[in-house]
mmCIF file of all heavy atoms in Angstrom:
data_model
loop_
_atom_site.group_PDB
_atom_site.id
_atom_site.type_symbol
_atom_site.label_atom_id
_atom_site.label_comp_id
_atom_site.label_asym_id
_atom_site.label_seq_id
_atom_site.Cartn_x
_atom_site.Cartn_y
_atom_site.Cartn_z
ATOM 1 N N PRO A 116 7.147 14.905 -4.213
ATOM 2 C CA PRO A 116 6.760 13.586 -3.696
ATOM 3 C C PRO A 116 5.315 13.610 -3.194
ATOM 4 O O PRO A 116 4.812 14.654 -2.788
ATOM 5 C CB PRO A 116 7.723 13.336 -2.535
ATOM 6 C CG PRO A 116 8.779 14.385 -2.634
ATOM 7 C CD PRO A 116 8.227 15.508 -3.447
ATOM 8 N N MET A 117 4.673 12.461 -3.236
ATOM 9 C CA MET A 117 3.287 12.361 -2.791
ATOM 10 C C MET A 117 3.228 11.710 -1.412
ATOM 11 O O MET A 117 3.783 10.631 -1.219
ATOM 12 C CB MET A 117 2.477 11.538 -3.785
ATOM 13 C CG MET A 117 1.019 11.485 -3.431
ATOM 14 S SD MET A 117 0.108 10.760 -4.778
ATOM 15 C CE MET A 117 -1.522 10.816 -4.080
ATOM 16 N N PRO A 118 2.552 12.338 -0.449
ATOM 17 C CA PRO A 118 2.398 11.729 0.870
ATOM 18 C C PRO A 118 1.371 10.595 0.818
ATOM 19 O O PRO A 118 0.347 10.714 0.139
ATOM 20 C CB PRO A 118 1.904 12.878 1.751
ATOM 21 C CG PRO A 118 1.232 13.819 0.801
ATOM 22 C CD PRO A 118 1.923 13.662 -0.527
ATOM 23 N N LEU A 119 1.672 9.505 1.511
ATOM 24 C CA LEU A 119 0.760 8.363 1.565
ATOM 25 C C LEU A 119 0.904 7.717 2.943
ATOM 26 O O LEU A 119 2.019 7.474 3.392
ATOM 27 C CB LEU A 119 1.100 7.344 0.471
ATOM 28 C CG LEU A 119 0.168 6.147 0.338
ATOM 29 C CD1 LEU A 119 -1.206 6.573 -0.156
ATOM 30 C CD2 LEU A 119 0.753 5.122 -0.627
ATOM 31 N N THR A 120 -0.221 7.472 3.607
ATOM 32 C CA THR A 120 -0.208 6.813 4.911
ATOM 33 C C THR A 120 -0.839 5.439 4.774
ATOM 34 O O THR A 120 -1.949 5.313 4.251
ATOM 35 C CB THR A 120 -0.979 7.646 5.958
ATOM 36 O OG1 THR A 120 -0.351 8.931 6.057
ATOM 37 C CG2 THR A 120 -0.958 6.969 7.315
ATOM 38 N N LEU A 121 -0.119 4.414 5.219
ATOM 39 C CA LEU A 121 -0.615 3.043 5.192
ATOM 40 C C LEU A 121 -1.023 2.651 6.604
ATOM 41 O O LEU A 121 -0.307 2.953 7.564
ATOM 42 C CB LEU A 121 0.469 2.088 4.691
ATOM 43 C CG LEU A 121 1.105 2.413 3.346
ATOM 44 C CD1 LEU A 121 2.136 1.359 2.987
ATOM 45 C CD2 LEU A 121 0.053 2.528 2.260
ATOM 46 N N THR A 122 -2.154 1.950 6.743
ATOM 47 C CA THR A 122 -2.629 1.496 8.053
ATOM 48 C C THR A 122 -2.649 -0.029 8.062
ATOM 49 O O THR A 122 -3.210 -0.656 7.150
ATOM 50 C CB THR A 122 -4.041 2.036 8.352
ATOM 51 O OG1 THR A 122 -3.996 3.471 8.289
ATOM 52 C CG2 THR A 122 -4.509 1.608 9.731
ATOM 53 N N LEU A 123 -2.035 -0.608 9.098
ATOM 54 C CA LEU A 123 -1.970 -2.063 9.245
ATOM 55 C C LEU A 123 -3.019 -2.528 10.253
ATOM 56 O O LEU A 123 -3.506 -1.737 11.070
ATOM 57 C CB LEU A 123 -0.575 -2.476 9.690
ATOM 58 C CG LEU A 123 0.568 -1.978 8.794
ATOM 59 C CD1 LEU A 123 1.906 -2.358 9.388
ATOM 60 C CD2 LEU A 123 0.430 -2.506 7.385
ATOM 61 N N ASP A 124 -3.353 -3.813 10.206
ATOM 62 C CA ASP A 124 -4.400 -4.336 11.089
ATOM 63 C C ASP A 124 -4.009 -4.341 12.556
ATOM 64 O O ASP A 124 -4.857 -4.502 13.424
ATOM 65 C CB ASP A 124 -4.886 -5.719 10.641
ATOM 66 C CG ASP A 124 -3.820 -6.799 10.720
ATOM 67 O OD1 ASP A 124 -2.632 -6.494 10.954
ATOM 68 O OD2 ASP A 124 -4.172 -7.974 10.530
ATOM 69 N N ASP A 125 -2.737 -4.114 12.878
ATOM 70 C CA ASP A 125 -2.334 -4.032 14.290
ATOM 71 C C ASP A 125 -2.346 -2.580 14.793
ATOM 72 O O ASP A 125 -1.882 -2.288 15.875
ATOM 73 C CB ASP A 125 -0.966 -4.680 14.514
ATOM 74 C CG ASP A 125 0.168 -3.997 13.750
ATOM 75 O OD1 ASP A 125 -0.073 -2.957 13.076
ATOM 76 O OD2 ASP A 125 1.307 -4.494 13.813
ATOM 77 N N GLY A 126 -2.871 -1.673 13.960
ATOM 78 C CA GLY A 126 -2.977 -0.271 14.349
ATOM 79 C C GLY A 126 -1.790 0.580 13.938
ATOM 80 O O GLY A 126 -1.835 1.807 14.010
ATOM 81 N N GLN A 127 -0.738 -0.054 13.485
ATOM 82 C CA GLN A 127 0.467 0.656 13.071
ATOM 83 C C GLN A 127 0.180 1.470 11.807
ATOM 84 O O GLN A 127 -0.573 1.043 10.944
ATOM 85 C CB GLN A 127 1.536 -0.408 12.786
ATOM 86 C CG GLN A 127 2.913 0.108 12.641
ATOM 87 C CD GLN A 127 3.917 -1.027 12.457
ATOM 88 O OE1 GLN A 127 5.053 -0.757 12.218
ATOM 89 N NE2 GLN A 127 3.526 -2.277 12.547
ATOM 90 N N GLN A 128 0.802 2.650 11.717
ATOM 91 C CA GLN A 128 0.688 3.467 10.513
ATOM 92 C C GLN A 128 2.076 3.789 9.984
ATOM 93 O O GLN A 128 2.989 4.072 10.757
ATOM 94 C CB GLN A 128 -0.071 4.759 10.796
ATOM 95 C CG GLN A 128 -1.544 4.518 11.081
ATOM 96 C CD GLN A 128 -2.359 5.792 10.993
ATOM 97 O OE1 GLN A 128 -1.916 6.853 11.395
ATOM 98 N NE2 GLN A 128 -3.558 5.670 10.463
ATOM 99 N N LEU A 129 2.208 3.718 8.665
ATOM 100 C CA LEU A 129 3.464 4.067 8.010
ATOM 101 C C LEU A 129 3.221 5.339 7.207
ATOM 102 O O LEU A 129 2.372 5.351 6.309
ATOM 103 C CB LEU A 129 3.913 2.959 7.057
ATOM 104 C CG LEU A 129 4.141 1.572 7.632
ATOM 105 C CD1 LEU A 129 4.480 0.592 6.512
ATOM 106 C CD2 LEU A 129 5.259 1.595 8.653
ATOM 107 N N ALA A 130 3.936 6.409 7.525
ATOM 108 C CA ALA A 130 3.822 7.665 6.784
ATOM 109 C C ALA A 130 4.920 7.674 5.725
ATOM 110 O O ALA A 130 6.106 7.646 6.055
ATOM 111 C CB ALA A 130 3.957 8.843 7.723
ATOM 112 N N LEU A 131 4.510 7.695 4.468
ATOM 113 C CA LEU A 131 5.467 7.635 3.362
ATOM 114 C C LEU A 131 5.439 8.932 2.558
ATOM 115 O O LEU A 131 4.431 9.635 2.536
ATOM 116 C CB LEU A 131 5.117 6.475 2.421
ATOM 117 C CG LEU A 131 4.926 5.094 3.050
ATOM 118 C CD1 LEU A 131 4.483 4.103 1.987
ATOM 119 C CD2 LEU A 131 6.197 4.635 3.725
ATOM 120 N N SER A 132 6.532 9.213 1.891
ATOM 121 C CA SER A 132 6.614 10.299 0.924
ATOM 122 C C SER A 132 7.186 9.661 -0.335
ATOM 123 O O SER A 132 8.369 9.342 -0.405
ATOM 124 C CB SER A 132 7.532 11.398 1.457
ATOM 125 O OG SER A 132 7.596 12.452 0.523
ATOM 126 N N LEU A 133 6.302 9.407 -1.317
ATOM 127 C CA LEU A 133 6.703 8.616 -2.487
ATOM 128 C C LEU A 133 7.047 9.492 -3.683
ATOM 129 O O LEU A 133 6.318 10.439 -4.008
ATOM 130 C CB LEU A 133 5.570 7.668 -2.883
ATOM 131 C CG LEU A 133 5.156 6.647 -1.832
ATOM 132 C CD1 LEU A 133 3.993 5.813 -2.336
ATOM 133 C CD2 LEU A 133 6.328 5.753 -1.446
ATOM 134 N N PRO A 134 8.142 9.155 -4.376
ATOM 135 C CA PRO A 134 8.464 9.882 -5.601
ATOM 136 C C PRO A 134 7.417 9.592 -6.675
ATOM 137 O O PRO A 134 6.787 8.529 -6.673
ATOM 138 C CB PRO A 134 9.836 9.321 -6.009
ATOM 139 C CG PRO A 134 9.926 7.987 -5.353
ATOM 140 C CD PRO A 134 9.094 8.074 -4.099
ATOM 141 N N VAL A 135 7.225 10.544 -7.567
ATOM 142 C CA VAL A 135 6.298 10.383 -8.689
ATOM 143 C C VAL A 135 7.134 10.089 -9.922
ATOM 144 O O VAL A 135 8.072 10.818 -10.239
ATOM 145 C CB VAL A 135 5.459 11.670 -8.880
ATOM 146 C CG1 VAL A 135 4.552 11.552 -10.089
ATOM 147 C CG2 VAL A 135 4.646 11.955 -7.613
ATOM 148 N N LYS A 136 6.800 8.972 -10.597
ATOM 149 C CA LYS A 136 7.596 8.537 -11.760
ATOM 150 C C LYS A 136 6.696 8.332 -12.975
ATOM 151 O O LYS A 136 5.570 7.859 -12.839
ATOM 152 C CB LYS A 136 8.293 7.204 -11.455
ATOM 153 C CG LYS A 136 9.309 7.274 -10.341
ATOM 154 C CD LYS A 136 9.970 5.919 -10.164
ATOM 155 C CE LYS A 136 11.038 5.954 -9.091
ATOM 156 N NZ LYS A 136 11.690 4.652 -8.941
ATOM 157 N N PRO A 137 7.215 8.645 -14.177
ATOM 158 C CA PRO A 137 6.419 8.411 -15.384
ATOM 159 C C PRO A 137 6.226 6.921 -15.636
ATOM 160 O O PRO A 137 6.995 6.089 -15.157
ATOM 161 C CB PRO A 137 7.236 9.064 -16.492
ATOM 162 C CG PRO A 137 8.614 9.205 -15.950
ATOM 163 C CD PRO A 137 8.512 9.224 -14.454
ATOM 164 N N ILE A 138 5.190 6.612 -16.413
ATOM 165 C CA ILE A 138 4.902 5.218 -16.774
ATOM 166 C C ILE A 138 6.025 4.700 -17.659
ATOM 167 O O ILE A 138 6.453 5.364 -18.602
ATOM 168 C CB ILE A 138 3.568 5.124 -17.551
ATOM 169 C CG1 ILE A 138 2.421 5.588 -16.671
ATOM 170 C CG2 ILE A 138 3.328 3.719 -18.063
ATOM 171 C CD1 ILE A 138 1.110 5.722 -17.415
ATOM 172 N N GLU A 139 6.516 3.507 -17.324
ATOM 173 C CA GLU A 139 7.532 2.865 -18.162
ATOM 174 C C GLU A 139 6.853 2.255 -19.377
ATOM 175 O O GLU A 139 5.876 1.525 -19.224
ATOM 176 C CB GLU A 139 8.232 1.750 -17.370
ATOM 177 C CG GLU A 139 9.018 2.250 -16.171
ATOM 178 C CD GLU A 139 10.264 3.010 -16.566
ATOM 179 O OE1 GLU A 139 10.931 2.611 -17.533
ATOM 180 O OE2 GLU A 139 10.560 4.018 -15.898
ATOM 181 N N PRO A 140 7.343 2.542 -20.585
ATOM 182 C CA PRO A 140 6.719 1.906 -21.747
ATOM 183 C C PRO A 140 6.944 0.397 -21.723
ATOM 184 O O PRO A 140 8.003 -0.071 -21.325
ATOM 185 C CB PRO A 140 7.406 2.556 -22.946
ATOM 186 C CG PRO A 140 8.631 3.212 -22.411
ATOM 187 C CD PRO A 140 8.435 3.416 -20.929
ATOM 188 N N MET A 141 5.931 -0.342 -22.148
ATOM 189 C CA MET A 141 6.053 -1.802 -22.197
ATOM 190 C C MET A 141 6.759 -2.197 -23.481
ATOM 191 O O MET A 141 6.771 -1.460 -24.460
ATOM 192 C CB MET A 141 4.661 -2.441 -22.153
ATOM 193 C CG MET A 141 3.936 -2.227 -20.856
ATOM 194 S SD MET A 141 2.357 -3.072 -20.934
ATOM 195 C CE MET A 141 1.845 -2.924 -19.249
ATOM 196 N N GLY A 142 7.318 -3.395 -23.479
ATOM 197 C CA GLY A 142 8.068 -3.888 -24.626
ATOM 198 C C GLY A 142 7.302 -3.790 -25.943
ATOM 199 O O GLY A 142 7.833 -3.324 -26.929
ATOM 200 N N GLU A 143 6.023 -4.218 -25.938
ATOM 201 C CA GLU A 143 5.239 -4.206 -27.192
ATOM 202 C C GLU A 143 5.081 -2.786 -27.713
ATOM 203 O O GLU A 143 5.093 -2.545 -28.902
ATOM 204 C CB GLU A 143 3.843 -4.791 -26.986
ATOM 205 C CG GLU A 143 3.770 -6.169 -26.388
ATOM 206 C CD GLU A 143 3.432 -6.145 -24.912
ATOM 207 O OE1 GLU A 143 2.451 -5.482 -24.502
ATOM 208 O OE2 GLU A 143 4.158 -6.798 -24.165
#
Side-chain angles (χ1 to χ4, degrees):
M117 184 170 179
L119 184 68
T120 300
L121 306 181
T122 302
L123 305 176
D124 64 351
D125 62 4
Q127 193 176 174
Q128 291 195 322
L129 301 176
L131 308 176
S132 181
L133 299 178
V135 177
K136 296 182 178 181
I138 297 172
E139 296 289 321
M141 294 182 170
E143 306 101 50

